[in-house]
Amino acid sequence: MDVRLVILFVTVFPLQVSAYDISVNMMEKSFFKDSVATAIARFPGPVDPFTAYPEETPGITIIEVQVLDDPQGAGSLGVIRWMPMETGLVTLPALDFFSETAEYRTIPHQVRVGLPQRTDEMQLILTPSKTAIYAGEPLRVDVSWKTLLSTRRLRSLICNPGFFSNPDIEVVVPRSTADEKTQLGVPISSRRVIATRNRDQEDLDALGEVNFTVYLRFSKAGTVVMDPIYIECAYLHEDGGAFAPYASYFNNALFDPVDAGRAYDRLYTESNGLEIQVLP
């Protein structure tokens, strides 16, 4: 065949590229501001690495888009990690993916984004042994967390007291001497604090009252104002199973992230603040 005819054929009849709309599936059922979410787009064949990041994404931030082999077949997956930056209705916009023979555009997907809600069903109380102390003298502070929320629905506790990160305050958490049956591990500022749990005998599934003690040693004299401590947890819409299948002081649901496919609320409360006079 004449080479000129081949070139003419290619020029006159270019390779046809098909365009397809692709829906996305959200891995999560609940969405919160500043919490990472994941969307999945499934393609029937190989897809090039994603590069077409949109210039503007109102209300959200797209963190990363990966193209992976689909373990369920010969196609590809687009894994979209994104974060809502506003509450209310936000939209994951259309994204463009390409292959040698096709163009794919994801269908915009709208979700409702919430915020953690303050609840009266949890109380956090700080009780100092005194409010005036000398610099270098340890101050005992008893911490009590009370709630009748069900342990079968509680997950993912967040609690980061400011005194743990204050360079002028030394914090000591004494070793628990309570009976192991009443000990409960609690995630506090990336630590596993062993607290004591007193269960409500009328509702054994309720968390009840959780108590632990910290000792604070102040290095500088003056008035120390400690802000209220914020405590937040996920509360599943449905029963999530056993709270502590093993020893509760070693592992329990307060350390567990929420399964992506579960619907839940985020609930929080705040403690009282403290004002301590540190004498020289």
Side-chain angles (χ1 to χ4, degrees):
M1 179 183 294
D2 192 318
V3 174
R4 289 172 298 175
L5 292 179
V6 175
I7 295 174
L8 179 62
F9 181 83
V10 173
T11 303
V12 176
F13 300 99
L15 183 64
Q16 294 298 310
V17 176
S18 301
Y20 302 94
D21 289 333
I22 300 291
S23 61
V24 297
N25 294 317
M26 293 294 174
M27 299 299 294
E28 292 79 14
K29 288 188 176 180
S30 299
F31 302 87
F32 296 92
K33 182 181 176 183
D34 299 330
S35 294
V36 177
T38 303
I40 302 293
R42 179 168 271 113
F43 308 104
V47 173
D48 297 336
F50 182 81
T51 59
Y53 285 90
E55 292 185 2
E56 295 185 3
T57 53
I60 74 163
T61 294
I62 296 179
I63 300 170
E64 181 184 33
V65 181
Q66 293 180 298
V67 174
L68 306 174
D69 293 335
D70 188 344
Q72 299 181 9
S76 302
L77 297 178
V79 181
I80 306 158
R81 297 180 68 246
W82 63 284
M83 180 184 294
M85 306 303 292
E86 300 176 356
T87 57
L89 290 175
V90 302
T91 301
L92 180 66
L95 300 178
D96 294 320
F97 295 78
F98 303 93
S99 72
E100 291 184 358
T101 58
E103 296 179 0
Y104 301 99
R105 169 164 287 193
T106 61
I107 299 171
H109 192 103
Q110 193 172 64
V111 302
R112 183 171 295 279
V113 178
L115 280 173
Q117 300 297 310
R118 185 160 193 153
T119 178
D120 293 331
E121 297 188 70
M122 295 195 301
Q123 295 84 43
L124 187 64
I125 302 170
L126 306 181
T127 306
S129 59
K130 47 189 172 181
T131 57
I133 197 167
Y134 289 99
E137 180 186 356
L139 171 69
R140 173 176 174 148
V141 179
D142 294 322
V143 182
S144 177
W145 175 32
K146 301 177 181 179
T147 180
L148 293 181
L149 294 174
S150 172
T151 56
R152 300 182 67 85
R153 296 167 61 187
L154 281 171
R155 296 292 186 274
S156 186
L157 181 72
I158 298 172
C159 185
N160 299 299
F163 49 72
F164 275 104
S165 58
N166 189 325
D168 297 324
I169 303 176
E170 178 187 356
V171 183
V172 175
V173 181
R175 183 181 180 86
S176 175
T177 58
D179 189 307
E180 282 191 3
K181 293 181 180 179
T182 66
Q183 290 183 9
L184 178 71
V186 183
I188 305 291
S189 292
S190 302
R191 305 181 183 202
R192 184 185 302 272
V193 172
I194 306 302
T196 301
R197 177 188 176 194
N198 297 312
R199 302 175 72 176
D200 187 311
Q201 296 305 308
E202 296 182 359
D203 185 358
L204 294 178
D205 278 341
L207 184 66
E209 183 175 349
V210 176
N211 300 296
F212 63 92
T213 296
V214 298
Y215 286 89
L216 308 179
R217 194 192 307 269
F218 302 90
S219 62
K220 296 180 179 179
T223 300
V224 178
V225 177
M226 290 187 283
D227 294 332
I229 295 175
Y230 178 94
I231 187 169
E232 178 188 317
C233 63
Y235 199 58
L236 304 177
H237 288 186
E238 298 178 349
D239 189 324
F243 174 70
Y246 308 104
S248 61
Y249 61 85
F250 178 74
N251 192 27
N252 60 66
L254 299 179
F255 294 87
D256 293 343
V258 180
D259 292 339
R262 288 189 176 275
Y264 65 99
D265 297 312
R266 295 211 66 93
L267 305 177
Y268 79 92
T269 192
E270 291 181 311
S271 74
N272 53 302
L274 295 180
E275 183 172 307
I276 306 298
Q277 298 297 326
V278 182
L279 307 174

